[in-house]
Amino acid sequence: MYRKDGEDYFIVDAHIALWDARPENQRNIHGKQFIDCFYDYHRNLSPEPEVWSYEEYLYQGGERLMRDMFADGVVDHAIFQPARLAEFYHRGFGQTEEAFALAQAHPDKLTYNHYWDPRDGENGLDELRRNAERMQLKGVKLYTADWHGESRGWKLTDPMAYRYLEVCREVGIRNIHVHKGPTIRPLDRDAFDVADVDHVATDFTDLTFVVEHCGLPRLEDFCWIATQEPNVVAGLAVAIPFIHTRPRYFAQIMGELLYWIGEDRILFSSDYALWTPQWLVEKFVDFQIPEDMAEYAPLSTEVKKKVLGLNAAKLYDLPVPEHLRLPDAPETATGPRQPDAADLATV
Amino acid sequence: MTAVLPDLAAAVRAALTTVVDPELDEPVTDLGFVRSISVTGDVVEVHLRLPTSFCAPNFAWLMVSDAHDAVSAVPGVARVVVELDDHHDSDLINRGMAAGVGYRGTFGHEAEDSLDELRAIFARKAHTAAMERAVTPLLRTDPAVDVAALTVGDLPAGERTTAALLRRRAALGLPVDDGAPVLLHPDGTRPAPAEAPLVLRRARSVRISVDGNAHFCRGLLRTRYPGSGTDQTPRPEDRPLIPLTVSKGSHP
């Protein structure tokens, strides 16, 4: 829990990883390039005192993770969202068993989400069923840009992906986290296209699709889809660190998200170990839309509480102390959420 | 012939200013993506670099092939080599360029179509963002402006945002006469008056995306290549990176 100015915030970090990008796990040059890319994100967007050394960045381990997440009591619960990246790393990037064991040791603090890949075919369907039971999965992380043999990506609308989504529905996996953001897929059309989310959100209305990185670099495409599909949610991973280097840009991202999808469908995510959650939480609680951005309403304490934890707690049935709970906003299920707050209200 | 070499290098650089990152709507020269230009006789070698190894390969291909075309058209250039450095697909792209096999020939089964549609999508987005940049200052000066009724003639003639919008309209074949409506759907049709607020709000989210990506990519390039900031030119004034500087009123 985080406390500031007499207000208590229940904090859920909806996207963390326990990765291993050390040289001995790198399968090829892409494994090095991938973690170097992450490290550049980290160096580019972090406040100076929060910048880690490269060696620290390659691998953290469970003990360090527990300290960074919980030792100072800031994060109440965190959710693993592992990426496989088996073509880049010998034992994969996200450390499945290590993270799962950590989550089992701290069930009150950690939830383990696993991944699947439709290119694993029928065998993967069976494995998903087994994993769902063994790991008690409530969610999965999908990385459509992952390489797999000759393929360098897939779409949620691929027929086999539908089979996997049907299994999710069958075994009670409700939260489908989809990485949409800087990708590595040389698609014929557009490597960042979020249109496939639109399709599956319509076809699987009983599942929740959390779009990680809220569609960046195509915020507008994401907003347009999410505003029409009540089961699409924005994850703030990689977007929230702009709060430090580019606060006005971050204000615009928040303003747009609140306008298009509303306060009940935005999730705080540090994307640990890209960034540690503590400074992000502190800055977010202190953050306000600049006064001269009159096209956006100010961020209320309630909105901050929902984004920082209550929204994710609801998706994952996490127990929230009674005095910290808040009711859902009286917003429409689809369409823009804050028409009165916009500067065009009078147009 | 050595005396003409500086001129040829300058001409090559000038040609590269026409090569645009489609997503950021900025020349690769301004972004610092041109790592080196070397001229040996009438042979030119250009190296490009990008903010991360994982920049989308289709965008990388567009910029590399556009650079090749632009430099090839410079008078006095006999042979052009354009190489992309430090990208996960550098070898693939550089081989494909050298062999002249095109995007599909380079990426094979993963590239089912040409990149024309991708290019067109981002040309339309660039126009949409320019439209929002031209309209929002008017709205801030006078919140009662009837956005739906605005025509090109209502836009302040001397403003860079106006000129930038007209350039993008001309590029897309959209009308630029004084009586033409300012607010347009991406397909060029005029929205009904009731649709105007939503059209402008969508345009705003497009503009924020473009600006934000420009922030991030420029910053990442500087992180990745120390010193590369000196190769970057500040964003043109018609597309300020920290927008919305006019302070009018405050929150309740």
Side-chain angles (χ1 to χ4, degrees):
Chain A
M1 201 170 69
Y2 180 67
R3 167 171 273 246
K4 180 77 187 281
D5 298 334
E7 294 283 351
D8 290 331
Y9 299 80
F10 185 79
I11 310 290
V12 179
D13 193 334
H15 189 150
I16 67 164
L18 185 54
W19 70 52
D20 186 351
R22 288 174 291 188
E24 57 268 31
N25 193 28
Q26 293 172 9
R27 186 183 288 280
N28 46 37
I29 180 68
H30 305 311
K32 174 167 168 40
Q33 288 174 332
F34 191 82
I35 191 66
D36 286 357
C37 176
F38 273 22
Y39 189 55
D40 284 350
Y41 288 5
H42 171 77
R43 287 194 295 159
N44 184 251
L45 295 184
S46 302
E48 194 56 39
E50 304 292 341
V51 176
W52 293 3
S53 72
Y54 184 66
E55 284 65 34
E56 271 181 292
Y57 204 73
L58 294 173
Y59 175 74
Q60 295 77 43
E63 201 177 311
R64 170 84 190 248
L65 182 146
M66 294 304 290
R67 192 168 79 231
D68 288 336
M69 288 290 129
F70 309 107
D72 297 311
V74 173
V75 174
D76 293 283
H77 200 97
I79 302 166
F80 282 112
Q81 309 287 359
R84 176 161 70 171
L85 300 178
E87 300 283 341
F88 297 172
Y89 297 96
H90 295 296
R91 292 178 290 105
F93 184 63
Q95 298 304 296
T96 303
E97 293 304 325
E98 194 178 355
F100 174 54
L102 201 63
Q104 280 186 306
H106 305 277
D108 55 326
K109 288 190 164 58
L110 290 166
T111 292
Y112 181 74
N113 280 2
H114 199 53
Y115 46 69
W116 50 254
D117 187 322
R119 295 165 300 184
D120 291 335
E122 300 286 341
N123 294 344
L125 287 169
D126 296 337
E127 199 180 336
L128 173 59
R129 285 197 183 88
R130 279 196 301 275
N131 285 334
E133 191 177 344
R134 179 169 80 100
M135 297 168 167
Q136 291 296 297
L137 298 177
K138 291 183 190 170
V140 286
K141 167 75 186 296
L142 306 181
Y143 199 79
T144 57
D146 199 2
W147 294 13
H148 196 297
E150 286 287 292
S151 159
R152 296 204 287 176
W154 55 279
K155 282 189 174 191
L156 295 167
T157 46
D158 293 345
M160 203 56 173
Y162 268 67
R163 301 267 311 274
Y164 279 73
L165 288 169
E166 282 159 9
V167 171
C168 285
R169 177 188 266 166
E170 170 195 320
V171 299
I173 296 173
R174 296 192 318 271
N175 299 309
I176 314 294
H177 295 250
V178 190
H179 170 104
K180 285 291 178 183
T183 69
I184 52 182
R185 181 186 184 190
L187 265 181
D188 49 306
R189 191 169 154 248
D190 181 350
F192 307 106
D193 196 5
V194 291
D196 56 347
V197 177
D198 196 10
H199 283 277
V200 292
T202 304
D203 290 343
F204 293 88
T205 51
D206 48 343
L207 302 179
T208 299
F209 293 86
V210 183
V211 176
E212 299 297 346
H213 322 304
C214 55
L216 297 175
R218 307 287 156 67
L219 179 68
E220 74 279 19
D221 292 341
F222 165 75
C223 287
W224 188 244
I225 286 166
T227 207
Q228 301 168 65
E229 309 290 343
N231 54 332
V232 173
V233 172
L236 286 179
V238 186
I240 196 165
F242 285 106
I243 202 169
H244 167 63
T245 50
R246 301 283 184 192
R248 293 179 66 89
Y249 172 49
F250 180 71
Q252 294 176 72
I253 293 175
M254 284 304 297
E256 292 300 309
L257 291 176
L258 288 167
Y259 175 78
W260 290 108
I261 65 172
E263 64 191 52
D264 293 324
R265 286 160 52 193
I266 306 172
L267 309 183
F268 165 71
S269 310
S270 70
D271 218 341
Y272 182 87
L274 275 162
W275 295 277
T276 47
Q278 180 145 351
W279 69 269
L280 294 168
V281 171
E282 288 169 357
K283 281 186 186 285
F284 188 74
V285 166
D286 292 342
F287 185 76
Q288 193 45 272
I289 305 271
E291 284 200 351
D292 63 321
M293 288 191 187
E295 67 273 36
Y296 302 123
L299 293 182
S300 67
T301 304
E302 286 69 28
V303 167
K304 292 177 183 177
K305 287 181 176 181
K306 287 182 171 186
V307 170
L308 282 173
L310 300 180
N311 291 341
K314 197 164 50 184
L315 288 179
Y316 280 86
D317 295 326
L318 303 175
V320 177
E322 186 123 24
H323 70 284
L324 296 179
R325 296 177 197 169
L326 288 169
D328 288 352
E331 290 170 336
T332 57
T334 56
R337 303 312 200 276
Q338 290 190 337
D340 297 342
D343 57 350
L344 293 170
T346 56
V347 172
Chain B
M1 291 299 286
T2 48
V4 304
L5 288 186
D7 291 336
L8 194 54
V12 167
R13 177 160 284 279
L16 288 171
T17 63
T18 65
V19 178
V20 172
D21 180 316
E23 174 107 63
L24 310 182
D25 191 24
E26 288 188 71
V28 291
T29 43
D30 286 6
L31 291 163
F33 291 177
V34 178
R35 185 177 217 166
S36 66
I37 299 169
S38 66
V39 178
T40 310
D42 51 10
V43 176
V44 177
E45 183 166 333
V46 174
H47 283 258
L48 299 181
R49 61 186 171 191
L50 292 172
T52 82
S53 303
F54 286 95
C55 292
N58 44 6
F59 286 89
W61 176 269
L62 273 179
M63 288 184 267
V64 172
S65 60
D66 284 359
H68 193 276
D69 290 348
V71 176
S72 298
V74 173
V77 172
R79 201 168 95 78
V80 180
V81 176
V82 178
E83 295 218 321
L84 178 64
D85 297 343
D86 305 337
H87 190 269
H88 68 76
D89 276 330
S90 282
D91 291 346
L92 197 61
I93 289 174
N94 295 340
R95 274 203 311 273
M97 281 304 300
V101 294
Y103 175 66
R104 269 191 270 191
T106 301
F107 286 106
H109 70 282
E110 292 183 286
E112 290 159 10
D113 294 315
S114 78
L115 291 172
D116 294 346
E117 178 59 16
L118 183 68
R119 211 187 274 279
I121 287 170
F122 286 92
R124 287 194 292 270
K125 286 196 180 198
H127 164 260
T128 301
M131 180 175 81
E132 194 271 350
R133 288 190 193 99
V135 169
T136 294
L138 301 183
L139 203 60
R140 288 178 159 264
T141 312
D142 176 11
V145 163
D146 185 351
V147 174
L150 273 183
T151 62
V152 167
D154 296 328
L155 296 175
E159 286 294 327
R160 288 168 188 271
T161 49
T162 304
L165 175 62
L166 294 180
R167 278 201 305 279
R168 279 159 186 74
R169 287 177 78 126
L172 287 171
L174 297 170
V176 293
D177 59 283
D178 279 358
V182 171
L183 214 60
L184 295 175
H185 285 302
D187 66 1
T189 58
R190 183 177 199 169
E195 295 176 300
L198 210 56
V199 168
L200 189 55
R201 286 302 304 221
R202 277 197 82 178
R204 178 166 295 154
S205 62
V206 171
R207 190 266 303 158
I208 289 169
S209 255
V210 175
D211 285 356
N213 295 333
H215 278 304
F216 198 29
C217 291
R218 280 171 168 266
L220 279 176
L221 189 85
R222 293 195 297 272
T223 299
R224 191 175 188 210
Y225 297 104
S228 61
T230 55
D231 294 333
Q232 294 182 334
T233 307
R235 220 163 184 228
E237 285 174 41
D238 58 33
R239 282 162 289 167
L241 267 181
I242 300 294
L244 310 170
T245 49
V246 182
S247 183
K248 258 183 65 70
S250 60
H251 292 304

